[in-house]
Amino acid sequence: MTETRKVALTVNGKRYEAEAEVRLTLADFLRHTLGLTGTHLGCEHGVCGACTVLLDGQTARSCLMLAVQAEGHAITTVEGLAPSATELSPLQEAFRDNHGLQCGFCTPGMLTTLTEFLRDNPNPTEQEVRIAISGNLCRCTGYQNIVLAALDAAKRLQAAR
Amino acid sequence: MASLIGARVNRVEDPPLLRGERRFIDDIIVPDVLHAGFVRSPHPHATIRGVAKHAALALPGVHAILTLDDLAPVMAKRRMMRHSNSGTPLDRMWCFALADGEVSYVGEPIAIVIADSRYIAEDAAALVEIDYDLLPAVSDCRKAIESSSPAVRRELNTNTIATYKVNFGDPDSAFAKAAHVFHTDLWQHRGAGHPIEGRGILAEFHRGTDGLTVWASTQKAHDLFQSVTSLFDFDESNLRVITPEVGGGFGPKLCIYSEDIAVVAAARLLQRSIKWIEDRREHFTNAAQERDQYWSIDIAVSADAKVLGIRGNLIHDVGAFALQDVNIPFNSASMMSGPYIVPSLHMDVVVAATNKTPVSSIRGAGYPQAAFSMERMMDRVARELKLDRAEVRRRNLIPTEKMPYTKPLKARSGAAMQYDSGDYPASQAAVLKAVGWDDFPKRQAEARAQGRYIGIGLAHGIKGTGRGPFESGAVRISNTGKVTVFTGAANLGQGLRTVLAQIAASELGLRSEDITVVPGDTAGTALGLGAFASRQMVTAGNSVLLAARAVGEKAKKLASHLLEAAEHDLELKEGEVRVVGAPQLSIKLAELSRILKGAPGYGFPPGVDPGLDASVNWRTDALAYANACHAAEVEVDIETGAVRILNYVALQDSGVLINPMLVEGQVQGGIAHGIGNALFEWMGYDDAAQPVTTTFADYLLPTATEIPTMTTLFQETPSPLNPLGAKGAGEVSTIPTAAAVIGAIEDALQPFNVRIAQTPVPPHKLVELIHGRSDGPDH
C-alpha cells in the first residue's frame, strides 16, 4: 500500500514534482502535499462537488482521481482563479457582490465549475446555470445568489471582451 | 459617518474565501501531527467481549489503538456527564468517550487509532478485530416505548426517557363545546444537518507545559472548553479552544461528541498533537440528526373556524444517547400554536430512546414540526368548512392590536412566553398580494384545462430567537488604532464578522473593514455560548453595540481632557476624536489607546480607567419572536410524482436588519433546507436499526435545479427588548417551508382527494396517494 511514484504536474501555472503514494487522491495531494488547501473535501465520494478542480481546463472531482493520474497534466484550483494577489476574477467579484457564498466551503467547487461553464457558455440562461451547478451541493445559500452571481459574471466577462 | 446599521455592506469574509485562503479545520498546520481514525460498531446493539489490536498495531505507521480503558487514566470521568438544565434524568443517556463494553447504535466509536496519516489510521481501524455478542435492537421509537421492547442499552430500565405535558387552558370543555373536531396523524422526519464541511478537531499538544490548543469546527467553542476542563480536570490556563473557519453548522456542530473527547484524551496520553477529520459516512452515522416525530392530534374549532383547543400526543426519537438536554420536543409542543390564538392545549410528550444515532437540533430545532402540525390542521379546517385557507388563518392570527401578546406558557428560562412585536395579518396580506393568491383559482383552472396540476400553499411560522442568557462582546482599540472585536459567538457562514464590524464601526465612526472580529476563541473572551437558536444578532450584536459605545465614550472622556473641550462637543470620525465644527482639534484613537495603556508612574486624567477597551455580556432572558409567512406554488407531475416549485414568496420579520443582504441569504438558505425536508431528505434505518442512507447518493440534499428563485419580503418590526431592535434570522425561514410546500402539493392534487400527513413526501409516495393506494403516513 505504501508504494510511491514521482508525480510531475502543473498547478496554477507552476510546475511541481513530488513523491506520492499511489493510492493518494489528487485532492489530498493538492491539499496536503502541495499545501494548496483551497480545494475542499465535502463527501469524498464524488457527489458534493466541493473538490472540483480543472484538469487541462475540464472540471474533475479531485476526490475521485488519484494523484498519479494527474501526472503530466495542468491543474487549476481555486487559488489559481484570481488574476493577482490584490484582484479577484470577474466571477469571484460577482460572487462577492451578489452574496453568492456564506460559509464558503462549497465555493471553490462552484467557482471552478462555473469558470469552465462560462468559458463554454458565455451567455447562459438561468436554467442553464442551474443545470451547470446541479452537481455541486451548497447547504447555506439555497443557490439563488450563486445563480445570480454566475449570470452577473457572464455580463461582466462579456463587457470585458 | 452615517450609521452602517441597515446597510447592504459586502462581506469582509469574502475575498480570502473566494481565493481559497481561509483556513478550515483540516487546513490548520501544526508540526509533528498524528492522525486519528475510529473503530466503529457495525451493529446497532452488542456487548464487546474483546478487542484484538495486534494485526492493526503491526501495520507500519500505527502509533496506538486506544479503548476507553486506555484513555481512562488521563480522564476525570469515563462518561461525558453534562448538566440537565431541564431536570430530565439523563445520567444514563450521556455518551462515553468510547464504548464502555457495550455499543448501542451503528457507528458508535469503540477505539481510536492513532497513525502517521489518515489513510493508515483507516487501514488500521479495519484490522482491529472486535468480538461482539449481539443483542436485540429497536429502530422505531413507537415500538421502543412498548414494554416488550428490548432495552436500547442494558443499563436502561425503559426506553421511555422522559414524559411530560405541555398544557394550558381547559381543553376538555373546549372540545365539549366545539362545533367540529378533526383528527390528524403525522409522521415528521427532519433528516440531518449536513454542513458541506463535516466535523473535525485538532488537539495541539505543547511540550513543556503539557498544555493544549484545541482547534475545532464547532458552534460552541466555550462549551468545548468547559467540557474538556471538567472531563479532564484540566487547568483552565493550560487550554485554549480556537474555532477556525467553519464550513457550515446547522445544528450538528453545537454538540460535544465522543470523538472530540477521545482525540483530546489521546493527545494527553501520547503527548502528541492529534487531528481527526470526519468523513461523510461518519457524519451520517455519528453527527446529530433530528429525525422522527410522530404526532397524533385533535383540533376543536367553532362553527366560524376559530380554534378552541388542541389535544394530542407526540413521540420524539432521541436515539441511543443524549448529546444535550432534550429540548426539541418541548419546542415542538410548546410552539405549536405559533402565531395563532389557541385558548387551550394539551400535549403529552414522550421522549423515546432507540438504537440509532443520537438526536439533537437541526436548523429550526423542533419549530418546523410545530408549524407543520398546526398549518396542516389549518388547511384541514379550511377544507372541511369550505373556507379559504388564508381566511381561516386570519380568523385565528393574533391581531395586531393585541401585541405584545402573552401566551399562557413559559419559555425555558422561566420567563413568560411573550411575543414582543410583529404584525402577522399584515405579513400575510403582503405575501398573498405578492404570490397572487386571489387570482390563483383562475390560474389553477386554466392549468387543469391543459392537464397540468398546479397548487398553492400558505404557512405561517414563529421563532423565539436570541436565546440568552448572554453572549460576550469585547471591543479593544490598540495603540496602532486597530479595532478588534472578540466574541464567544461563532462564525459559521452567516457573515457574523461583517455584521459585528458594522455595529462596532457605526459606534466608533469607522468603516466596517477597519474592524477585525475574532469569534469563538477562548483566549479572546473567557465567556461565551455560541451559535444556536438564531441568537447571535440579538445577543452578540447588542453586547458589541454596548461595548463599542462604552469604548467610544471612554475615548471622548480622555480626549475632552486633552483637547480641553466638553465631551458633548466631541465626535468620533475616521479614527479620531474631533471637536465638532473644528476638526483640526483632534486626537487619534491610537494615541488615546497608547495613553490608556499607561506609562510607569505617570497618571491618567481623573475619572478615566486604564485601557481603551470594554467588555459587555448583555443579559436577556426573554426571546425576541421573529415571524414568517410563506406561500409556495407547485406543479405536480401525476405520472411520476415529481414536484416542481414554480414560485416561492417568503416574508420575514426579523426586527431591525443590520445587513438586509445577509438576512436575504439566510432566508433563502433556510427555505432550501425546508424544501429538502418537505421533498427529499430522509435519514433511513431498517427495522434492525441499520442505517440505509449513508451517502449523498442515497440521502438527497436539494440541488440548484430543485430550488426555485425565491422572492423575499421583509417587515421590520423592531424588538422592544434589545437596544438594536433586532431579532434572529437563521432558522426562521425553515420553519413554515415544509407546510407551505406540502399544502401546495395537496392543493394541486385536489382532484385525487390526496391527503399528505408526512415529511418528506417523495415522488413514489405521491403516486401511491394519487392512485389511492396509501392508507396514511409512510412510517
Side-chain angles (χ1 to χ4, degrees), chain B residues 488-547:
Chain B
N491 187 46
L492 316 169
Q494 322 91 319
L496 181 84
R497 288 193 182 92
T498 302
V499 286
L500 294 185
Q502 283 179 255
I503 292 168
S506 295
E507 285 295 317
L508 295 169
L510 295 164
R511 301 168 307 166
S512 53
E513 54 266 43
D514 297 329
I515 316 267
T516 301
V517 178
V518 180
D521 181 347
T522 60
T525 55
L527 293 173
L529 288 161
F532 53 94
S534 303
R535 66 187 297 273
Q536 299 195 134
M537 183 46 66
V538 174
T539 54
N542 283 292
S543 289
V544 169
L545 173 79
L546 297 175

Side-chain angles (χ1 to χ4, degrees), chain B residues 320-333:
Chain B
F321 289 101
L323 289 161
Q324 56 163 351
D325 217 338
V326 288
N327 296 319
I328 298 163
F330 177 78
N331 288 350
S332 302

Side-chain angles (χ1 to χ4, degrees), chain A residues 90-91 94-95 98 100 110 114 117-118 121-122 124-126 129-130 132-133 143-157:
Chain A
L91 179 62
F95 262 66
N98 290 279
M110 290 286 181
L114 285 167
F117 174 71
L118 293 175
N121 302 273
T125 64
E126 179 193 328
V129 171
R130 286 185 179 275
I133 60 167
Y143 304 103
Q144 181 157 329
N145 288 345
I146 296 175
V147 174
L148 288 177
L151 294 169
D152 184 14
K155 276 194 208 137
R156 293 176 194 221
L157 287 162

Side-chain angles (χ1 to χ4, degrees), chain A residues 32-48:
Chain A
H32 300 306
T33 308
L34 304 186
L36 295 167
T37 54
T39 297
H40 296 155
L41 287 161
C43 73
E44 297 175 85
H45 56 258
V47 181
C48 82

Side-chain angles (χ1 to χ4, degrees), chain B residues 303-594:
Chain B
D304 60 351
K306 289 212 166 151
V307 178
L308 302 174
I310 294 169
R311 266 194 315 221
N313 61 72
L314 156 59
I315 305 171
H316 175 83
D317 179 357
V318 76
F321 289 101
L323 289 161
Q324 56 163 351
D325 217 338
V326 288
N327 296 319
I328 298 163
F330 177 78
N331 288 350
S332 302
S334 66
M335 287 310 294
M336 211 185 150
S337 61
Y340 303 109
I341 292 181
V342 174
S344 68
L345 178 136
H346 183 119
M347 288 294 296
D348 287 309
V349 178
V350 178
V351 180
T354 58
N355 290 102
K356 295 188 289 188
T357 298
V359 159
S360 179
S361 42
I362 304 299
R363 193 176 201 162
Y367 283 75
Q369 297 93 319
F372 188 74
S373 296
M374 193 68 199
E375 297 295 319
R376 287 278 67 209
M377 289 198 296
M378 285 290 166
D379 284 352
R380 175 79 185 277
V381 169
R383 188 173 67 237
E384 300 279 357
L385 303 187
K386 299 190 169 47
L387 290 166
D388 176 65
R389 287 169 289 164
E391 170 64 23
V392 167
R393 287 168 167 86
R394 274 196 301 277
R395 290 186 193 179
N396 289 286
L397 283 174
I398 298 165
T400 317
E401 62 275 13
K402 288 210 172 177
M403 299 300 277
Y405 182 83
T406 303
K407 290 256 172 178
L409 274 171
K410 284 192 173 10
R412 202 188 294 166
S413 66
M417 193 181 274
Q418 187 185 62
Y419 292 179
D420 49 314
S421 67
D423 187 339
Y424 309 150
S427 296
Q428 194 201 70
V431 168
L432 296 183
K433 182 159 180 264
V435 80
W437 182 266
D438 292 340
D439 299 340
F440 187 75
K442 185 165 166 279
R443 279 185 279 147
Q444 190 175 42
E446 286 166 5
R448 292 252 173 90
Q450 299 163 14
R452 294 173 57 224
Y453 293 85
I454 66 170
I456 198 164
L458 179 70
H460 289 264
I462 292 283
K463 177 79 176 80
T465 71
R467 198 179 286 288
F470 70 89
E471 188 50 80
S472 51
V475 175
R476 189 186 302 164
I477 301 182
S478 77
N479 57 1
T480 60
K482 295 254 191 305
V483 180
T484 310
V485 171
F486 299 92
T487 177
N491 187 46
L492 316 169
Q494 322 91 319
L496 181 84
R497 288 193 182 92
T498 302
V499 286
L500 294 185
Q502 283 179 255
I503 292 168
S506 295
E507 285 295 317
L508 295 169
L510 295 164
R511 301 168 307 166
S512 53
E513 54 266 43
D514 297 329
I515 316 267
T516 301
V517 178
V518 180
D521 181 347
T522 60
T525 55
L527 293 173
L529 288 161
F532 53 94
S534 303
R535 66 187 297 273
Q536 299 195 134
M537 183 46 66
V538 174
T539 54
N542 283 292
S543 289
V544 169
L545 173 79
L546 297 175
R549 192 169 288 169
V551 169
E553 281 163 7
K554 203 170 185 181
K556 283 186 187 171
K557 189 176 233 177
L558 177 59
S560 82
H561 287 285
L562 302 173
L563 298 171
E564 296 179 345
E567 281 176 52
H568 60 78
D569 287 336
L570 298 175
E571 62 180 353
L572 288 152
K573 261 190 177 172
E574 292 169 15
E576 297 180 335
V577 183
R578 292 175 183 169
V579 177
V580 176
Q584 73 281 8
L585 293 174
S586 67
I587 185 161
K588 288 187 181 310
L589 290 172
E591 177 64 5
L592 296 171
S593 169
R594 186 193 62 76

Side-chain angles (χ1 to χ4, degrees), chain B residues 204-405:
Chain B
E204 181 184 6
F205 184 79
H206 301 295
R207 209 169 290 284
T209 63
D210 289 357
L212 288 178
T213 300
V214 173
W215 307 73
S217 185
T218 179
Q219 296 173 225
K220 291 175 89 178
H222 289 77
D223 190 3
L224 181 57
F225 181 90
Q226 287 149 22
S227 298
V228 169
T229 50
S230 69
L231 287 170
F232 294 90
D233 197 13
F234 209 91
D235 179 0
E236 286 204 0
S237 66
N238 238 343
L239 176 68
R240 176 181 180 188
V241 175
I242 306 177
T243 315
E245 205 67 23
V246 176
F250 312 112
K253 291 182 186 173
L254 70 77
C255 304
I256 310 300
Y257 291 92
S258 299
E259 293 93 342
D260 300 326
I261 301 307
V263 165
V264 170
R268 294 203 75 198
L269 189 72
L270 303 179
Q271 309 220 326
R272 292 290 302 266
S273 296
I274 295 173
K275 181 198 264 189
W276 172 67
I277 301 299
E278 182 182 60
D279 71 22
R280 187 55 55 176
R281 187 184 156 82
E282 291 178 304
H283 195 82
F284 274 104
T285 57
N286 288 76
Q289 309 164 359
E290 198 165 302
R291 238 173 24 233
D292 295 306
Q293 286 187 353
Y294 293 90
W295 293 64
S296 179
I297 33 180
D298 290 290
I299 186 165
V301 291
S302 66
D304 60 351
K306 289 212 166 151
V307 178
L308 302 174
I310 294 169
R311 266 194 315 221
N313 61 72
L314 156 59
I315 305 171
H316 175 83
D317 179 357
V318 76
F321 289 101
L323 289 161
Q324 56 163 351
D325 217 338
V326 288
N327 296 319
I328 298 163
F330 177 78
N331 288 350
S332 302
S334 66
M335 287 310 294
M336 211 185 150
S337 61
Y340 303 109
I341 292 181
V342 174
S344 68
L345 178 136
H346 183 119
M347 288 294 296
D348 287 309
V349 178
V350 178
V351 180
T354 58
N355 290 102
K356 295 188 289 188
T357 298
V359 159
S360 179
S361 42
I362 304 299
R363 193 176 201 162
Y367 283 75
Q369 297 93 319
F372 188 74
S373 296
M374 193 68 199
E375 297 295 319
R376 287 278 67 209
M377 289 198 296
M378 285 290 166
D379 284 352
R380 175 79 185 277
V381 169
R383 188 173 67 237
E384 300 279 357
L385 303 187
K386 299 190 169 47
L387 290 166
D388 176 65
R389 287 169 289 164
E391 170 64 23
V392 167
R393 287 168 167 86
R394 274 196 301 277
R395 290 186 193 179
N396 289 286
L397 283 174
I398 298 165
T400 317
E401 62 275 13
K402 288 210 172 177
M403 299 300 277
Y405 182 83

Side-chain angles (χ1 to χ4, degrees), chain B residues 41-46 103-106 135 137-138 152 355-356 688-690:
Chain B
S41 173
H43 302 297
H45 195 189
V103 285
S104 52
Y105 67 98
V106 171
L135 292 169
V138 61
V152 162
N355 290 102
K356 295 188 289 188
Q690 279 288 344

Side-chain angles (χ1 to χ4, degrees), chain B residues 45-305:
Chain B
H45 195 189
T47 51
I48 298 167
R49 289 150 61 113
V51 178
K53 306 173 180 176
H54 50 274
L57 282 170
L59 202 65
V62 174
H63 290 251
I65 293 160
L66 307 166
T67 61
L68 185 61
D69 286 342
D70 299 316
L71 300 181
V74 296
M75 297 179 66
K77 302 181 185 97
R78 287 170 77 87
R79 195 157 204 169
M80 296 163 62
M81 300 300 288
R82 296 174 71 75
H83 186 67
S84 170
N85 291 298
S86 71
T88 308
L90 295 172
D91 286 0
R92 293 179 181 180
M93 284 299 286
W94 302 122
C95 301
F96 296 91
L98 293 168
D100 195 11
E102 181 176 357
V103 285
S104 52
Y105 67 98
V106 171
E108 186 169 351
I110 297 165
I112 181 170
V113 180
I114 309 298
D116 282 338
S117 76
R118 189 173 170 221
Y119 286 67
I120 297 171
E122 291 179 4
D123 288 345
L127 293 174
V128 174
E129 290 171 32
I130 314 273
D131 188 6
Y132 295 99
D133 259 344
L134 301 191
L135 292 169
V138 61
S139 178
D140 185 320
C141 63
R142 295 165 299 181
K143 287 200 183 120
I145 56 177
E146 291 171 1
S147 58
S148 57
S149 258
V152 162
R153 224 171 2 269
R154 290 174 303 166
E155 65 180 333
L156 297 177
N157 300 321
T158 168
N159 297 326
T160 300
I161 301 310
T163 59
Y164 53 85
K165 296 179 200 314
V166 175
N167 55 355
F168 56 79
D170 183 359
D172 289 343
S173 62
F175 275 79
K177 72 179 181 202
H180 309 279
V181 172
F182 303 114
H183 177 82
T184 306
D185 290 310
L186 301 169
W187 166 54
Q188 298 202 52
H189 181 90
R190 285 214 63 226
H194 289 298
I196 303 301
E197 179 201 43
R199 296 176 294 146
I201 186 166
L202 165 59
E204 181 184 6
F205 184 79
H206 301 295
R207 209 169 290 284
T209 63
D210 289 357
L212 288 178
T213 300
V214 173
W215 307 73
S217 185
T218 179
Q219 296 173 225
K220 291 175 89 178
H222 289 77
D223 190 3
L224 181 57
F225 181 90
Q226 287 149 22
S227 298
V228 169
T229 50
S230 69
L231 287 170
F232 294 90
D233 197 13
F234 209 91
D235 179 0
E236 286 204 0
S237 66
N238 238 343
L239 176 68
R240 176 181 180 188
V241 175
I242 306 177
T243 315
E245 205 67 23
V246 176
F250 312 112
K253 291 182 186 173
L254 70 77
C255 304
I256 310 300
Y257 291 92
S258 299
E259 293 93 342
D260 300 326
I261 301 307
V263 165
V264 170
R268 294 203 75 198
L269 189 72
L270 303 179
Q271 309 220 326
R272 292 290 302 266
S273 296
I274 295 173
K275 181 198 264 189
W276 172 67
I277 301 299
E278 182 182 60
D279 71 22
R280 187 55 55 176
R281 187 184 156 82
E282 291 178 304
H283 195 82
F284 274 104
T285 57
N286 288 76
Q289 309 164 359
E290 198 165 302
R291 238 173 24 233
D292 295 306
Q293 286 187 353
Y294 293 90
W295 293 64
S296 179
I297 33 180
D298 290 290
I299 186 165
V301 291
S302 66
D304 60 351

